[in-house]
Amino acid sequence: AYLLLGLVSFAITLLTGAMLLRSAPTTSGRATTTDGDRFRHALRSASYRILLIAFILLGIASSAILVHQPSLLLEAGFSLTEVGMLQGVVGAAVIVGRLGVGWLLDRVSVRWIMPPILLAASVGCAMFASGTTGVAVPIAAAMLGLMLGAEMDVLGYLIGRNHGSGAFGALYGIVFAGFSLGSALGAATVGKLHAVYGGYAIPFAGL
């Protein structure tokens, strides 16, 4: 079943790329040179490097939360039904975060958006690490979901604002690759730490 899903996704991706992605015609080599200059300048800039590091760390945290939160809740004594409901809370918060942050980015500086969301996610991780119970559990789940929904919106916005659209695809792709690398490391590392320490308290406290 998973192999079939993978093949379908691969086929859809190829068809979409073949039908919709076209290189814009250029009248001279000047545009390509300009885009290359923008790309190299962005790679040398401190703001882009900080963004790359930040999204590697976000990838670590995001994958750890998504992959291990159900197991954490089951070990804490929640039933499968309750875990499913809490995952639904996370999913709803992701939607709210994605739509809400997109709306806010048109009206408020990003410096006033992401710090509170990341702080809330840190508090949510600390709540799970401390073994919180009761009504605080869905609140913690919602805090984490908001971060998961906000991150990609902010990535595209920051690259476009700071470095323009000339080399947007390449710059976005590098940061997203870093995010994906962090995601792989996060899920695996938290799993290893869980095996070493016999629980999720220390791994989630580290997040």
Side-chain angles (χ1 to χ4, degrees):
Y2 282 105
L3 178 60
L4 178 61
L5 288 174
L7 291 173
V8 170
S9 299
F10 181 70
I12 291 174
T13 302
L14 288 180
L15 288 174
T16 302
M19 294 172 61
L20 300 180
L21 299 181
R22 295 287 188 276
S23 298
T26 57
T27 56
S28 68
R30 188 173 181 181
T32 302
T33 303
T34 301
D35 292 347
D37 290 341
R38 290 174 178 172
F39 177 71
R40 287 187 291 273
H41 180 268
L43 291 181
R44 291 193 295 266
S45 67
S47 62
Y48 184 76
R49 293 176 182 178
I50 291 172
L51 186 67
L52 175 59
I53 293 171
F55 271 83
I56 291 173
L57 297 176
L58 276 174
I60 292 173
S62 298
S63 70
I65 292 166
L66 283 173
V67 173
H68 293 283
Q69 188 188 43
S71 297
L72 180 151
L73 294 171
L74 288 172
E75 289 186 6
F78 290 87
S79 68
L80 286 173
T81 301
E82 291 170 331
V83 171
M85 293 177 64
L86 289 170
Q87 291 302 99
V89 171
V90 173
V94 168
I95 295 173
V96 172
R98 186 144 297 169
L99 295 176
V101 168
W103 183 83
L104 287 172
L105 285 172
D106 291 330
R107 295 162 175 83
V108 183
S109 172
V110 69
R111 71 184 62 183
W112 298 108
I113 299 174
M114 283 309 290
I117 291 176
L118 294 176
L119 178 60
S122 298
V123 172
C125 285
M127 292 168 69
F128 278 121
S130 64
T132 189
T133 58
V135 69
V137 176
I139 293 175
M143 289 177 173
L144 298 176
L146 286 175
M147 181 198 73
L148 297 173
E151 51 200 9
M152 288 299 112
D153 285 357
V154 172
L155 172 59
Y157 173 83
L158 287 175
I159 291 179
R161 187 194 68 176
N162 294 336
H163 306 291
S165 60
F168 180 88
L171 295 173
Y172 186 100
I174 290 174
V175 177
F176 189 77
F179 179 86
S180 300
L181 175 62
S183 297
L185 293 174
T189 301
V190 169
K192 180 64 175 179
L193 291 174
H194 174 270
V196 171
Y197 292 102
Y200 284 108
I202 291 178
F204 266 68
L207 293 175

